[in-house]
Amino acid sequence: MERLESRSMLAADGNDTRSGAINLGSFDGAVSSVDRTGSVGTSGDVQDYYRFTLTRSNRLQVGLSGLSGNLNFELQNSSGARFGSVQDNSGTTSEYNAYALESGTYYLRIFKGSSSVFSNYALALDFGDDIRSTARSLGSFNGSTQSVTKTGHIGGNDNTDYFKFTLTNSNRAVIQLSGLSANLNLAIQDSTGVVLANRLTAGTASETVSGPFAPGTYYVRIYKGVSSASTNYTLKIAFGDDSRAAAHLLGTLSAGTTIRTGHVGGSDPADYYKFSISGSQKNAQIRLEGLSADLDIQLLNASGLVITSSTRDGSANEFINRNLGSGTYYLRVFRYTSSISSSYSLRIAIANFV
Protein backbone atom coordinates (compact mmCIF):
# COMPACT_ATOMS: atom_id res chain seq x y z
CA MET A 1 0.00 0.00 0.00
CA GLU A 2 1.18 3.52 -0.72
CA ARG A 3 2.67 5.47 2.19
CA LEU A 4 3.09 9.19 2.67
CA GLU A 5 6.61 10.57 2.29
CA SER A 6 8.64 10.88 5.50
CA ARG A 7 9.72 14.26 6.73
CA SER A 8 11.94 15.48 9.54
CA MET A 9 10.59 16.43 12.94
CA LEU A 10 10.25 20.00 14.12
CA ALA A 11 12.62 21.34 16.76
CA ALA A 12 12.06 21.01 20.51
CA ASP A 13 9.76 24.05 20.49
CA GLY A 14 7.65 22.64 17.70
CA ASN A 15 5.72 19.42 18.24
CA ASP A 16 6.50 18.74 21.90
CA THR A 17 3.05 19.94 23.01
CA ARG A 18 -0.43 18.86 21.95
CA SER A 19 -1.14 22.31 20.57
CA GLY A 20 1.92 21.97 18.32
CA ALA A 21 1.20 18.37 17.27
CA ILE A 22 2.07 17.50 13.68
CA ASN A 23 -1.15 16.91 11.76
CA LEU A 24 -1.10 13.54 9.97
CA GLY A 25 -4.43 14.20 8.28
CA SER A 26 -7.97 12.88 8.19
CA PHE A 27 -8.85 9.23 7.51
CA ASP A 28 -12.04 7.38 6.72
CA GLY A 29 -12.62 3.63 6.99
CA ALA A 30 -10.33 2.74 4.08
CA VAL A 31 -6.92 1.08 4.37
CA SER A 32 -4.15 3.67 4.50
CA SER A 33 -0.72 4.11 6.06
CA VAL A 34 1.52 6.92 7.31
CA ASP A 35 5.28 6.80 8.03
CA ARG A 36 7.24 9.44 9.92
CA THR A 37 10.79 9.59 11.24
CA GLY A 38 12.04 11.79 14.06
CA SER A 39 14.05 11.98 17.27
CA VAL A 40 13.53 12.70 20.95
CA GLY A 41 16.23 13.68 23.41
CA THR A 42 18.03 16.79 22.24
CA SER A 43 18.14 19.70 24.69
CA GLY A 44 14.61 20.44 25.85
CA ASP A 45 13.06 17.90 23.47
CA VAL A 46 11.47 15.34 25.79
CA GLN A 47 8.53 14.28 23.59
CA ASP A 48 6.87 14.53 20.16
CA TYR A 49 3.15 14.85 19.44
CA TYR A 50 1.16 13.87 16.34
CA ARG A 51 -2.54 14.19 15.71
CA PHE A 52 -4.99 12.64 13.27
CA THR A 53 -8.75 12.59 12.73
CA LEU A 54 -11.03 9.67 11.91
CA THR A 55 -14.24 10.46 10.08
CA ARG A 56 -15.37 6.85 10.53
CA SER A 57 -14.66 4.17 13.10
CA ASN A 58 -11.51 2.31 12.13
CA ARG A 59 -8.72 0.05 13.34
CA LEU A 60 -5.24 1.46 13.92
CA GLN A 61 -1.91 -0.31 14.33
CA VAL A 62 1.00 1.80 15.66
CA GLY A 63 4.65 0.74 15.44
CA LEU A 64 7.65 2.61 16.88
CA SER A 65 10.98 1.13 15.74
CA GLY A 66 14.59 1.94 14.82
CA LEU A 67 15.38 2.95 18.40
CA SER A 68 18.85 3.54 19.85
CA GLY A 69 17.44 4.40 23.28
CA ASN A 70 14.30 3.73 25.31
CA LEU A 71 11.31 5.58 23.82
CA ASN A 72 7.67 4.92 24.66
CA PHE A 73 4.33 6.03 23.23
CA GLU A 74 0.72 6.51 24.22
CA LEU A 75 -2.48 7.36 22.35
CA GLN A 76 -4.71 10.14 23.69
CA ASN A 77 -8.25 11.17 22.84
CA SER A 78 -9.27 14.71 21.89
CA SER A 79 -9.39 15.73 25.57
CA GLY A 80 -5.88 14.44 26.28
CA ALA A 81 -7.03 11.37 28.22
CA ARG A 82 -4.96 8.25 27.54
CA PHE A 83 -6.59 5.67 25.26
CA GLY A 84 -5.43 2.19 26.24
CA SER A 85 -2.10 1.59 27.94
CA VAL A 86 1.37 3.12 27.65
CA GLN A 87 3.68 1.12 25.38
CA ASP A 88 6.86 0.99 27.45
CA ASN A 89 9.11 -1.92 26.48
CA SER A 90 12.57 -1.59 27.99
CA GLY A 91 15.75 -0.58 26.15
CA THR A 92 15.72 -0.35 22.38
CA THR A 93 12.89 -2.86 21.88
CA SER A 94 10.33 -1.69 19.33
CA GLU A 95 6.92 -0.62 20.62
CA TYR A 96 3.62 -1.78 19.10
CA ASN A 97 -0.09 -1.60 19.82
CA ALA A 98 -3.41 -1.96 17.98
CA TYR A 99 -6.57 0.03 18.66
CA ALA A 100 -10.24 -0.10 17.65
CA LEU A 101 -11.22 3.58 17.39
CA GLU A 102 -14.44 5.48 16.91
CA SER A 103 -14.62 8.67 14.84
CA GLY A 104 -12.86 11.68 16.39
CA THR A 105 -9.47 13.37 16.84
CA TYR A 106 -6.58 11.54 18.49
CA TYR A 107 -3.06 12.44 19.62
CA LEU A 108 0.00 10.19 19.64
CA ARG A 109 2.68 11.08 22.18
CA ILE A 110 6.24 9.71 21.84
CA PHE A 111 8.38 10.29 24.92
CA LYS A 112 11.59 9.33 26.75
CA GLY A 113 11.78 6.18 28.83
CA SER A 114 14.37 7.90 31.05
CA SER A 115 15.67 11.47 31.30
CA SER A 116 19.06 10.75 29.68
CA VAL A 117 17.70 9.10 26.53
CA PHE A 118 18.33 10.30 23.02
CA SER A 119 17.01 8.28 20.11
CA ASN A 120 15.88 8.52 16.53
CA TYR A 121 12.70 6.63 15.65
CA ALA A 122 10.56 5.40 12.79
CA LEU A 123 6.82 5.76 13.33
CA ALA A 124 4.33 3.71 11.29
CA LEU A 125 0.56 4.06 11.47
CA ASP A 126 -1.60 1.58 9.58
CA PHE A 127 -5.34 2.21 9.35
CA GLY A 128 -8.01 -0.14 8.14
CA ASP A 129 -9.90 -3.40 8.79
CA ASP A 130 -10.18 -4.58 5.19
CA ILE A 131 -8.18 -7.76 5.80
CA ARG A 132 -8.47 -10.49 8.42
CA SER A 133 -5.13 -9.65 10.05
CA THR A 134 -6.45 -6.20 11.00
CA ALA A 135 -9.93 -7.32 12.05
CA ARG A 136 -11.49 -5.44 14.94
CA SER A 137 -11.76 -7.74 17.96
CA LEU A 138 -15.20 -8.14 19.52
CA GLY A 139 -13.78 -10.11 22.45
CA SER A 140 -13.90 -13.60 23.88
CA PHE A 141 -17.16 -15.29 24.86
CA ASN A 142 -18.04 -18.41 26.80
CA GLY A 143 -21.28 -20.35 26.63
CA SER A 144 -23.38 -17.78 28.46
CA THR A 145 -25.97 -15.40 27.04
CA GLN A 146 -24.16 -12.26 25.86
CA SER A 147 -24.42 -9.79 23.01
CA VAL A 148 -22.23 -7.22 21.29
CA THR A 149 -23.23 -4.38 18.94
CA LYS A 150 -20.96 -2.36 16.66
CA THR A 151 -21.66 0.33 14.06
CA GLY A 152 -19.61 1.08 10.97
CA HIS A 153 -19.57 2.36 7.42
CA ILE A 154 -18.57 0.98 4.03
CA GLY A 155 -18.27 3.07 0.88
CA GLY A 156 -15.83 4.70 -1.52
CA ASN A 157 -12.40 3.09 -1.19
CA ASP A 158 -13.49 1.19 1.92
CA ASN A 159 -14.85 -2.05 0.44
CA THR A 160 -14.75 -4.40 3.43
CA ASP A 161 -14.79 -4.44 7.23
CA TYR A 162 -13.60 -7.39 9.31
CA PHE A 163 -14.48 -8.25 12.91
CA LYS A 164 -13.38 -11.26 14.91
CA PHE A 165 -14.57 -13.06 18.05
CA THR A 166 -13.42 -16.07 20.03
CA LEU A 167 -15.55 -18.74 21.70
CA THR A 168 -14.00 -20.57 24.65
CA ASN A 169 -16.92 -23.01 24.74
CA SER A 170 -19.36 -24.18 22.08
CA ASN A 171 -22.25 -21.76 21.76
CA ARG A 172 -25.09 -20.58 19.56
CA ALA A 173 -24.73 -17.21 17.82
CA VAL A 174 -27.16 -15.08 15.83
CA ILE A 175 -25.22 -12.59 13.67
CA GLN A 176 -27.25 -9.77 12.11
CA LEU A 177 -26.28 -6.92 9.77
CA SER A 178 -28.93 -4.18 9.66
CA GLY A 179 -29.58 -0.45 9.24
CA LEU A 180 -28.51 -0.49 5.58
CA SER A 181 -29.20 2.16 2.95
CA ALA A 182 -27.31 0.21 0.25
CA ASN A 183 -26.52 -3.40 -0.54
CA LEU A 184 -23.99 -4.99 1.84
CA ASN A 185 -23.31 -8.70 2.27
CA LEU A 186 -22.29 -10.77 5.29
CA ALA A 187 -19.87 -13.71 5.51
CA ILE A 188 -18.65 -15.81 8.44
CA GLN A 189 -15.18 -17.37 8.25
CA ASP A 190 -13.28 -19.77 10.50
CA SER A 191 -9.80 -19.06 11.87
CA THR A 192 -8.16 -20.03 8.55
CA GLY A 193 -10.47 -17.88 6.41
CA VAL A 194 -12.72 -20.69 5.14
CA VAL A 195 -16.22 -19.30 4.51
CA LEU A 196 -18.77 -21.04 6.74
CA ALA A 197 -21.77 -18.96 5.64
CA ASN A 198 -22.38 -16.20 3.10
CA ARG A 199 -25.53 -14.05 2.95
CA LEU A 200 -26.16 -12.18 -0.32
CA THR A 201 -29.65 -10.71 0.09
CA ALA A 202 -30.30 -8.01 -2.51
CA GLY A 203 -30.99 -4.36 -1.75
CA THR A 204 -31.10 -2.91 1.76
CA ALA A 205 -32.55 -5.98 3.47
CA SER A 206 -30.82 -7.13 6.66
CA GLU A 207 -28.48 -10.12 6.52
CA THR A 208 -28.59 -12.82 9.24
CA VAL A 209 -26.51 -15.91 10.02
CA SER A 210 -27.31 -18.20 12.94
CA GLY A 211 -26.17 -21.57 14.14
CA PRO A 212 -24.04 -23.50 16.59
CA PHE A 213 -20.32 -22.70 16.72
CA ALA A 214 -17.57 -24.88 18.18
CA PRO A 215 -14.83 -23.33 20.35
CA GLY A 216 -12.41 -21.25 18.25
CA THR A 217 -11.87 -17.91 16.54
CA TYR A 218 -14.25 -16.65 13.87
CA TYR A 219 -14.26 -13.70 11.48
CA VAL A 220 -17.22 -11.60 10.35
CA ARG A 221 -16.73 -10.02 6.92
CA ILE A 222 -19.02 -7.17 5.84
CA TYR A 223 -18.56 -6.15 2.22
CA LYS A 224 -20.15 -4.30 -0.70
CA GLY A 225 -22.92 -6.03 -2.62
CA VAL A 226 -22.33 -3.64 -5.51
CA SER A 227 -19.28 -1.48 -6.20
CA SER A 228 -21.21 1.78 -5.72
CA ALA A 229 -22.57 0.83 -2.28
CA SER A 230 -22.08 3.39 0.49
CA THR A 231 -23.93 2.95 3.78
CA ASN A 232 -23.72 2.92 7.54
CA TYR A 233 -24.52 -0.38 9.24
CA THR A 234 -25.18 -1.99 12.60
CA LEU A 235 -23.65 -5.38 13.43
CA LYS A 236 -25.17 -7.29 16.34
CA ILE A 237 -24.12 -10.72 17.57
CA ALA A 238 -26.21 -12.43 20.22
CA PHE A 239 -24.57 -15.42 21.90
CA GLY A 240 -26.17 -18.01 24.09
CA ASP A 241 -28.47 -21.00 24.27
CA ASP A 242 -29.76 -20.45 27.81
CA SER A 243 -33.37 -19.95 26.70
CA ARG A 244 -35.83 -21.65 24.38
CA ALA A 245 -35.74 -18.62 22.10
CA ALA A 246 -31.99 -19.12 21.57
CA ALA A 247 -32.05 -22.92 21.36
CA HIS A 248 -29.68 -24.81 19.06
CA LEU A 249 -31.73 -25.85 16.04
CA LEU A 250 -31.52 -29.57 15.29
CA GLY A 251 -34.22 -29.53 12.60
CA THR A 252 -36.72 -32.29 11.88
CA LEU A 253 -35.41 -35.62 13.17
CA SER A 254 -36.26 -38.87 11.45
CA ALA A 255 -34.81 -42.35 11.88
CA GLY A 256 -31.14 -42.06 12.84
CA THR A 257 -28.83 -40.59 15.47
CA THR A 258 -27.94 -36.94 16.13
CA ILE A 259 -24.95 -36.07 18.34
CA ARG A 260 -24.02 -32.67 19.78
CA THR A 261 -21.33 -31.71 22.28
CA GLY A 262 -21.42 -28.80 24.68
CA HIS A 263 -20.49 -27.38 28.07
CA VAL A 264 -22.41 -26.00 31.05
CA GLY A 265 -20.71 -24.15 33.89
CA GLY A 266 -19.68 -20.76 35.24
CA SER A 267 -21.96 -18.07 33.86
CA ASP A 268 -23.58 -20.62 31.48
CA PRO A 269 -26.24 -22.41 33.56
CA ALA A 270 -28.06 -24.30 30.78
CA ASP A 271 -28.14 -25.22 27.09
CA TYR A 272 -31.31 -25.58 25.01
CA TYR A 273 -31.89 -27.63 21.85
CA LYS A 274 -34.92 -27.59 19.57
CA PHE A 275 -36.13 -30.34 17.25
CA SER A 276 -39.27 -31.47 15.47
CA ILE A 277 -40.95 -34.79 14.79
CA SER A 278 -43.15 -35.08 11.70
CA GLY A 279 -45.54 -37.73 10.46
CA SER A 280 -46.20 -40.82 12.53
CA GLN A 281 -45.17 -41.31 16.15
CA LYS A 282 -41.46 -41.92 16.77
CA ASN A 283 -39.44 -43.41 19.61
CA ALA A 284 -36.73 -41.07 20.96
CA GLN A 285 -33.87 -42.38 23.07
CA ILE A 286 -31.95 -39.41 24.49
CA ARG A 287 -28.66 -39.78 26.35
CA LEU A 288 -26.47 -37.23 28.10
CA GLU A 289 -22.96 -38.70 28.36
CA GLY A 290 -19.31 -37.86 29.05
CA LEU A 291 -20.05 -35.93 32.23
CA SER A 292 -17.46 -34.90 34.83
CA ALA A 293 -20.07 -33.41 37.19
CA ASP A 294 -23.81 -33.58 37.87
CA LEU A 295 -25.73 -32.33 34.82
CA ASP A 296 -29.40 -33.16 34.26
CA ILE A 297 -31.72 -33.08 31.25
CA GLN A 298 -35.37 -32.24 30.59
CA LEU A 299 -37.63 -32.88 27.61
CA LEU A 300 -40.11 -30.01 27.03
CA ASN A 301 -43.04 -29.51 24.69
CA ALA A 302 -43.48 -26.59 22.28
CA SER A 303 -44.91 -24.42 25.09
CA GLY A 304 -41.97 -25.08 27.38
CA LEU A 305 -43.78 -27.46 29.73
CA VAL A 306 -41.68 -30.35 31.07
CA ILE A 307 -42.70 -33.71 29.64
CA THR A 308 -40.10 -35.75 31.53
CA SER A 309 -36.65 -35.41 33.13
CA SER A 310 -33.55 -37.43 33.97
CA THR A 311 -31.81 -36.30 37.19
CA ARG A 312 -29.40 -39.02 38.24
CA ASP A 313 -26.76 -38.16 40.85
CA GLY A 314 -23.12 -37.30 40.19
CA SER A 315 -21.53 -37.81 36.79
CA ALA A 316 -23.78 -40.75 35.83
CA ASN A 317 -25.19 -40.67 32.31
CA GLU A 318 -28.73 -39.31 31.98
CA PHE A 319 -31.28 -41.19 29.89
CA ILE A 320 -34.76 -40.42 28.51
CA ASN A 321 -36.81 -42.92 26.48
CA ARG A 322 -40.05 -41.48 25.11
CA ASN A 323 -42.52 -42.00 22.29
CA LEU A 324 -43.15 -38.65 20.58
CA GLY A 325 -45.89 -37.58 18.23
CA SER A 326 -45.64 -34.98 15.49
CA GLY A 327 -44.65 -31.59 16.90
CA THR A 328 -41.86 -29.39 18.25
CA TYR A 329 -39.79 -30.28 21.29
CA TYR A 330 -36.98 -28.82 23.39
CA LEU A 331 -34.17 -30.37 25.40
CA ARG A 332 -32.75 -28.48 28.36
CA VAL A 333 -29.31 -29.51 29.68
CA PHE A 334 -28.69 -27.90 33.05
CA ARG A 335 -26.49 -28.15 36.14
CA TYR A 336 -27.64 -29.56 39.49
CA THR A 337 -26.02 -26.76 41.53
CA SER A 338 -24.55 -23.38 40.59
CA SER A 339 -20.95 -24.51 41.27
CA ILE A 340 -21.03 -27.33 38.71
CA SER A 341 -19.09 -27.24 35.44
CA SER A 342 -18.96 -30.06 32.90
CA SER A 343 -18.68 -30.83 29.22
CA TYR A 344 -21.17 -33.29 27.75
CA SER A 345 -22.21 -35.29 24.72
CA LEU A 346 -25.89 -35.28 23.78
CA ARG A 347 -27.08 -38.27 21.72
CA ILE A 348 -30.61 -38.45 20.24
CA ALA A 349 -31.58 -41.71 18.55
CA ILE A 350 -34.89 -41.68 16.64
CA ALA A 351 -36.63 -44.85 15.53
CA ASN A 352 -39.96 -45.43 13.86
CA PHE A 353 -42.57 -46.51 16.41
CA VAL A 354 -43.68 -50.09 16.11
Side-chain angles (χ1 to χ4, degrees):
M1 63 184 69
E2 184 179 356
R3 292 184 179 272
L4 303 181
E5 291 296 327
S6 300
R7 61 188 175 98
S8 298
M9 296 299 94
L10 301 179
D13 60 350
N15 68 321
D16 41 338
T17 63
R18 290 202 324 131
S19 60
I22 294 175
N23 185 12
L24 299 177
S26 180
F27 304 89
D28 57 16
V31 172
S32 55
S33 298
V34 178
D35 283 349
R36 290 290 185 267
T37 58
S39 63
V40 169
T42 56
S43 178
D45 185 19
V46 297
Q47 59 192 5
D48 285 348
Y49 274 93
Y50 298 86
R51 79 172 188 269
F52 60 89
T53 299
L54 295 180
T55 60
R56 307 284 185 187
S57 59
N58 207 341
R59 180 173 168 84
L60 168 66
Q61 297 181 89
V62 179
L64 189 67
S65 60
L67 307 180
S68 57
N70 184 11
L71 297 185
N72 305 319
F73 76 80
E74 66 180 14
L75 186 66
Q76 302 175 0
N77 65 17
S78 58
S79 301
R82 182 187 302 150
F83 190 97
S85 59
V86 172
Q87 300 308 297
D88 56 357
N89 291 329
S90 60
T92 60
T93 303
S94 297
E95 307 283 356
Y96 169 84
N97 204 3
Y99 307 90
L101 304 178
E102 301 302 322
S103 58
T105 297
Y106 296 89
Y107 292 84
L108 187 68
R109 174 182 172 239
I110 301 171
F111 59 98
K112 294 180 179 183
S114 61
S115 59
S116 61
V117 165
F118 169 83
S119 179
N120 295 315
Y121 63 80
L123 174 66
L125 283 75
D126 292 294
F127 299 91
D129 49 15
D130 285 17
I131 56 176
R132 289 193 305 119
S133 62
T134 60
R136 281 180 271 180
S137 177
L138 300 176
S140 181
F141 303 89
N142 54 27
S144 61
T145 298
Q146 298 168 278
S147 65
V148 58
T149 301
K150 293 293 183 182
T151 58
H153 179 274
I154 285 180
N157 293 326
D158 182 18
N159 298 310
T160 302
D161 286 353
Y162 273 93
F163 297 85
K164 71 176 179 180
F165 63 88
T166 298
L167 295 179
T168 57
N169 293 311
S170 58
N171 205 346
R172 176 172 167 78
V174 179
I175 303 166
Q176 184 179 59
L177 182 68
S178 62
L180 308 181
S181 59
N183 186 10
L184 298 185
N185 296 327
L186 175 67
I188 312 302
Q189 302 176 359
D190 67 12
S191 60
T192 65
V194 174
V195 175
L196 305 177
N198 203 14
R199 294 295 179 265
L200 307 172
T201 306
T204 61
S206 299
E207 308 281 2
T208 302
V209 173
S210 64
F213 290 85
T217 296
Y218 297 89
Y219 292 87
V220 178
R221 179 180 177 233
I222 301 167
Y223 62 101
K224 292 181 178 182
V226 293
S227 61
S228 61
S230 179
T231 178
N232 295 324
Y233 64 80
T234 298
L235 173 68
K236 181 176 181 180
I237 308 180
F239 300 95
D241 48 15
D242 292 8
S243 66
R244 289 191 299 121
H248 293 274
L249 303 180
L250 301 180
T252 300
L253 303 185
S254 54
T257 300
T258 300
I259 300 174
R260 292 291 186 270
T261 57
H263 179 275
V264 168
S267 57
D268 181 20
D271 289 351
Y272 277 84
Y273 296 84
K274 178 181 180 181
F275 66 93
S276 297
I277 297 294
S278 64
S280 61
Q281 191 175 56
K282 304 288 194 302
N283 176 255
Q285 296 188 15
I286 303 164
R287 294 182 65 88
L288 191 66
E289 305 171 324
L291 309 181
S292 59
D294 192 354
L295 299 186
D296 299 321
I297 190 169
Q298 293 174 328
L299 174 66
L300 297 80
N301 67 15
S303 300
L305 298 178
V306 176
I307 298 172
T308 188
S309 302
S310 178
T311 57
R312 299 178 68 190
D313 293 336
S315 58
N317 294 340
E318 305 290 351
F319 182 78
I320 291 174
N321 187 350
R322 192 82 177 189
N323 294 329
L324 301 177
S326 180
T328 297
Y329 299 90
Y330 293 88
L331 291 171
R332 176 178 176 247
V333 179
F334 61 102
R335 58 192 181 190
Y336 177 65
T337 64
S338 61
S339 61
I340 283 174
S341 179
S342 177
S343 298
Y344 64 82
S345 176
L346 175 65
R347 180 184 296 267
I348 307 171
I350 303 295
N352 292 320
F353 181 72
V354 178

